[in-house]
């Protein structure tokens, strides 16, 4: 895991793919720091998102 800190020098070419959950705040932060990387969502968070979305749709 790599920490993103302002004082660290980073090679932007190495930061093309980011794995994260579906939190919109994380997405904004990643794009502010890294530009337009490929954002990959892990299977656990994707399954949780689908479950949450289906629960929301079925209760309406």
């Amino acid at each position: 895991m790599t920490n993103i800190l302002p004082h660290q020098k980073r090679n932007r070419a190495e930061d093309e793919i980011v794995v994260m959950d579906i939190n919109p705040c994380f997405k904004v932060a990643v794009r502010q720091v890294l530009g337009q990387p490929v954002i990959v969502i892990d299977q656990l968070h994707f399954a949780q998102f689908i479950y949450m979305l289906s629960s929301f749709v079925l209760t309406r």
Side-chain angles (χ1 to χ4, degrees):
M1 173 183 259
T2 303
N3 294 326
I4 300 172
L5 301 173
H7 66 278
Q8 291 179 328
K9 293 182 180 179
R10 311 257 327 168
N11 182 352
R12 298 290 185 218
E14 294 175 1
D15 298 326
E16 295 179 359
I17 300 174
V18 176
V19 179
M20 57 179 264
D21 65 7
I22 306 177
N23 185 324
C25 295
F26 289 166
K27 184 177 179 181
V28 170
V30 165
R31 294 226 165 136
Q32 285 179 349
V33 173
L34 302 176
Q36 296 292 324
V38 174
I39 296 176
V40 179
I41 302 166
D42 61 80
Q43 293 176 349
L44 171 67
H45 288 98
F46 181 74
Q48 286 177 337
F49 176 73
I50 296 300
Y51 177 76
M52 181 183 65
L53 186 61
S54 65
S55 298
F56 177 76
V57 170
L58 293 175
T59 58
R60 294 208 163 224

